């Protein structure tokens, strides 16, 4: 009744608390940020091939000696962990998907797409952090340079020997009122 209407731990009923990551999601989010997108593109291609052609043996075996695969694994060694989490088994110099393992589009491909979104946000956050760090350092340095220039300029002009002198600027404030130009005056109608 009242507890149900309030929601979990006092949160509004529509506010969901984030679920813990599944082992697959954890593996997908363990890739190095700088090469995550390319690695995920490759894993997605391999996964989509198996999802589309589940009985084709050529798609169920990935040779680690293949130059493209070897380069990806060299850049992101955790790629093998991701594939093993999906059900691939390491056999000699290859990853093999056993016949009893079925990759599902809703789970595996969607998981990869979600991971890509996660890495896009992470990359954007990292760019913002770098920009902020660079901007703050740049601003400080610019301010230091300007202070040094001001200090040298003051030294060059010599010491102040006389005070400032007031100057007459005119006959006082030149204020015009709305009534002076006819605004707000009734034309007598």
């Amino acid at each position: 009744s009242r507890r149900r209407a309030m929601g979990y731990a006092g949160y509004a009923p529509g506010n969901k608390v984030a679920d813990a990551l599944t082992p697959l999601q954890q593996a997908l989010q363990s890739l190095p940020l700088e090469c995550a997108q390319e690695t995920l593109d490759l894993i997605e291609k391999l996964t989509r091939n198996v999802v589309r052609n589940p009985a084709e043996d050529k798609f169920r075996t990935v040779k680690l000696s293949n130059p493209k695969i070897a380069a990806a694994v060299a850049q992101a060694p955790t790629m093998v962990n991701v594939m093993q989490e999906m059900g691939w088994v390491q056999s000699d110099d290859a990853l093999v998907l056993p016949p009893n393992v079925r990759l599902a589009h809703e789970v595996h491909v969607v998981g990869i797409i979600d991971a890509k979104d996660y890495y896009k946000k992470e990359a954007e956050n990292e760019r913002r952090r770098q920009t902020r760090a660079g901007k703050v350092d740049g601003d400080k340095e610019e301010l230091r340079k300007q202070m040094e220039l001001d200090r040298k300029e003051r030294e060059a002009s010599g010491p102040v020997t006389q005070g400032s002198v007031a100057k007459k600027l005119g006959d006082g404030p030149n204020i015009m009122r709305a009534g002076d130009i006819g605004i707000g005056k009734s034309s007598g109608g």
Side-chain angles (χ1 to χ4, degrees):
S1 59
R2 178 165 163 67
R3 185 174 291 157
R4 207 174 298 140
M6 278 199 49
Y8 174 73
Y11 293 114
N15 219 356
K16 282 183 71 178
V17 176
D19 296 329
L21 295 177
T22 65
L24 176 60
Q25 289 170 322
Q26 287 175 352
L28 286 167
Q29 292 182 9
S30 71
L31 298 167
L33 181 60
E34 57 278 355
C35 62
Q37 289 297 338
E38 300 85 31
T39 307
L40 287 170
D41 287 342
L42 181 59
I43 295 173
E44 181 179 8
K45 184 176 183 180
L46 296 169
T47 305
R48 283 182 185 273
N49 285 342
V50 173
V51 169
R52 287 189 194 118
N53 310 296
E56 291 263 351
D57 283 341
K58 72 176 185 179
F59 293 127
R60 298 180 79 85
T61 303
V62 176
K63 290 188 176 141
L64 295 173
S65 58
N66 174 315
K68 196 169 185 178
I69 303 294
V73 171
Q75 268 192 316
T78 52
M79 174 186 166
V80 175
N81 301 349
V82 172
M83 301 211 30
Q84 287 173 333
E85 191 57 51
M86 295 170 81
W88 296 81
V89 177
Q90 192 155 1
S91 164
D92 298 325
D93 73 331
L95 288 171
V96 179
L97 194 63
N100 62 335
V101 176
R102 297 274 177 245
L103 297 183
H105 184 276
E106 311 75 44
V107 176
H108 299 95
V109 176
V110 170
I112 293 167
I113 293 169
D114 289 346
K116 283 182 176 182
D117 290 343
Y118 165 81
Y119 281 108
K120 271 186 201 158
K121 288 177 191 160
E122 285 300 304
E124 184 58 36
N125 290 340
E126 185 59 30
R127 270 194 296 281
R128 279 196 204 110
R129 279 192 288 273
Q130 296 295 333
T131 302
R132 262 188 247 126
K135 188 174 183 181
V136 168
D137 292 346
D139 288 350
K140 280 182 183 177
E141 190 57 38
E142 188 65 35
L143 191 56
R144 266 194 209 106
K145 286 179 184 173
Q146 188 59 47
M147 287 171 56
E148 187 61 32
L149 288 173
D150 290 347
R151 191 175 298 118
K152 287 179 180 175
E153 188 178 316
R154 276 196 310 275
E155 287 172 4
S157 64
V160 177
T161 56
Q162 66 183 52
S164 58
V165 179
K167 296 179 185 175
K168 181 109 171 98
L169 297 176
D171 296 330
N174 185 12
I175 299 174
M176 186 176 280
R177 294 182 182 84
D180 294 343
I181 57 173
I183 298 175
K185 301 245 179 186
S186 174
S187 57

